[in-house]
Amino acid sequence: MPGLLNLKNGRAFATGATPYFVGNIGEPTAGRLMIRLTIEGQPLVAAIDTGSPFVICHPDLAEPLKPRLTDPLGKKRLLIRGIEYRGDTYLMSAEIMADDGDDISLTVIVFIPQLDPGEVWTLPSFVGLEGMLQRMRFAVDPDASLFYFGPLGEA
């Protein structure tokens, strides 16, 4: 079945696309690709970070999800931008809405940092390779500022 981007054999590589923008995450040279998605229906903007093992949800954005978070996968410690954070990981639903083509829904691993009293989170949310991106195909078109995506399948 043809898609927005296709493999040589005609099968779809990407079936959806959404615009991205380059956002600064605190340092002058730290621009990151930022996309819109939802986690458990909660909208968020997240930086694409192939070095991150999970989706990392901004603690304030995770607040509305907390009543539904009953079964953590486990406690983790992550080094994020040079600072160690403690938190829990959860299996959650994520969706990237396509501006062109088909949306994609995935079950992803989400890390929610636990902040100390008075601590302020100054980073965005992140979409990581192991927790989300490795569960789908993706490509970036810098000329059109598009993030292409599609389900894994036969090549």
Side-chain angles (χ1 to χ4, degrees):
M1 171 194 326
L4 297 177
L5 297 176
N6 296 300
L7 300 167
K8 281 189 210 180
N9 64 10
R11 291 188 187 264
F13 174 88
T15 55
T18 190
Y20 72 81
F21 66 95
V22 177
N24 188 298
I25 61 168
E27 299 172 14
T29 59
R32 296 288 186 265
L33 302 183
M34 309 289 286
I35 62 168
R36 293 176 293 113
L37 69 150
T38 64
I39 300 293
E40 295 291 329
Q42 176 74 24
L44 65 121
V45 173
I48 301 290
D49 186 350
T50 58
S52 175
F54 310 113
V55 173
I56 300 172
C57 190
H58 188 296
D60 292 344
L61 297 174
E63 214 40 57
L65 302 175
K66 286 189 178 176
R68 294 180 276 176
L69 302 178
T70 56
D71 295 319
L73 296 174
K75 296 200 175 294
K76 300 283 182 194
R77 290 180 182 267
L78 283 184
L79 193 61
I80 304 170
R81 312 288 303 159
I83 300 171
E84 185 176 85
Y85 291 95
R86 297 173 327 280
D88 292 315
T89 54
Y90 299 88
L91 278 179
M92 295 186 187
S93 65
E95 185 172 31
I96 302 174
M97 287 68 62
D99 282 27
D100 190 13
D102 299 327
D103 301 344
I104 190 167
S105 296
L106 303 161
T107 299
V108 300
I109 300 171
V110 179
F111 175 78
I112 300 176
Q114 296 172 345
L115 301 180
D116 292 328
E119 187 177 8
V120 176
W121 182 263
T122 60
L123 299 169
S125 296
F126 294 91
V127 171
L129 183 64
E130 292 177 43
M132 181 169 176
L133 294 174
Q134 75 178 12
R135 298 170 186 212
M136 58 191 259
R137 290 187 169 130
F138 65 96
V140 173
D141 180 350
D143 190 44
S145 296
L146 287 175
F147 179 81
Y148 288 92
F149 51 87
L152 292 176
E154 296 179 23

